[in-house]
Amino acid sequence: MKLFAGIFSVSILFASCGTTEKATTDVVAESFDFASEQLKYALSEIDSIRDNLTTEQREKMIFTPRNIQPDGTLRLVASRDWCSGFFPGELWYMYEFTGDDYWKEKACEYTAPIEREKTNGGTHDMGFKVYCSFGNGYRLTGDSTYRDIILESAKTLTTRYKDKVGCIRSWDHNRDKWECPVIIDNMMNLELLYWAFKETGDSTYYNIATNHALTTMKNHFRDDYSSYHVVDYDTVTGNVINKHTHQGYAHESAWSRGQAWGLYGYTMCFRETKKPEFLQQAKKISDFIFNNKNMPEDLVPYWDYDAPAIPDEPRDASAAAVAACALYELSMYDHDNAAIHKERADKIVESLSEAYRANLKGDHGFLLLHSVGSGNSKSEMDVPIIYADYYFLEALLKKQKLEHSGTALL
Ligand code: GLY
């Protein structure tokens, strides 16, 4: 099945229009063809940097791409960076689509250095790092050593759970500013815990993930279902201390990627728990995003829905890619609105592949241009960023699966 996935997806439609005949190539197959060329180029770019690393960089064990820096150079990061799992994850998605062992070998090579994160209890980003890399690897190969690594990672993540708050602590930095900061992004790391519950039957994982989602639903969202980025808690009383938006424009603004993390997170939580309140939350977040007066026609949002200089603000392709992944899955659960969710996801995928694509054998091998890391601190402004590419490939796979097998679940 895997071997033929790519072949099945190639559908060439010929539409007759007067005397001209227009060929429309399937966006999934065409995008994976592009990704195949581009990621081979990325691997050669990485190799040339690794051949010329400084002693300090070698000591830091940097190995995997994150973004393009303001001086035009490719930034590689070490396993402890929250973005380390995305490039290996992309290589696994390439293997999933093509069935070609070349991609499996590369995926294994780039996944292996992340193992050391399994005992790193200093971060909530375990899901991003380990589930995108080892998680996809285990799903596609069934390698039991991968399973053990993922389980240990999940156990480590649970050590950050604060009983009194009902959430996993997100960041350890800025201790002078926050006591127990919980960020909306953390919803994404719950998938690792639900996976561990299904593998082991240990309900601790399920309860921590579900409590975190319920607490976040209560405290992160405004009346219009937009969300704050950071909610800080008192660990003794469990009370909310303050609500901030650290990477967005202002505390009361709606940071675009944060809204997308929420949409993906609650859709996934509904899949894992079947709790109707999680489906309701995903639908409401989707309504906020797609009925927003500042959402552009191509459905690729500005980096913050309230950025002051819209329409002269950078877009965030990564927020669009994350939302597309969520919408394909949401279309399976929200039956009354299935068509509109699918249409919106398709529109995003088409926009990204038509107007946000990087240059073939350029841009250090990234797939998409125009993402924003942290607009508030003017960091990673309007550049290719690795997670946009990862979620773009995921969205393509989900689209294909939904159209060919009736399920967006990979
Ligand atoms: N911290 C994850 C993000 O920038 O979305």
Side-chain angles (χ1 to χ4, degrees), residues 66 82-83 86 124-125 128 171 183 185-186 229 247 255 257-258 261 316 318 372-374 380 387:
R66 171 162 170 164
W82 81 273
C83 294
F86 295 119
H124 75 113
D125 286 319
F128 285 124
W171 294 329
I183 64 175
D185 326 25
N186 208 334
H229 180 201
Q247 283 168 239
W255 171 51
R257 197 166 50 259
W261 292 142
D316 184 8
S318 75
V372 172
S374 177
E380 299 177 306
Y387 41 83

Side-chain angles (χ1 to χ4, degrees), residues 12-25:
I12 313 269
L13 304 173
F14 291 97
S16 191
C17 182
T19 53
T20 57
E21 207 169 57
K22 188 173 158 228
T24 309
T25 307

Side-chain angles (χ1 to χ4, degrees), residues 340-359:
I340 181 83
H341 295 316
K342 167 84 169 41
E343 258 168 49
R344 285 170 175 162
D346 284 347
K347 175 76 188 168
I348 291 171
V349 163
E350 274 158 33
S351 298
L352 293 177
S353 57
E354 279 168 16
Y356 293 76
R357 178 175 282 184
N359 294 295

Side-chain angles (χ1 to χ4, degrees), residues 305-316:
Y305 289 98
D306 304 300
I310 287 173
D312 299 320
E313 295 277 359
R315 305 292 189 91
D316 184 8

Side-chain angles (χ1 to χ4, degrees), residues 365-376:
F366 282 95
L367 306 182
L368 296 178
L369 306 171
H370 306 307
S371 288
V372 172
S374 177
N376 187 27

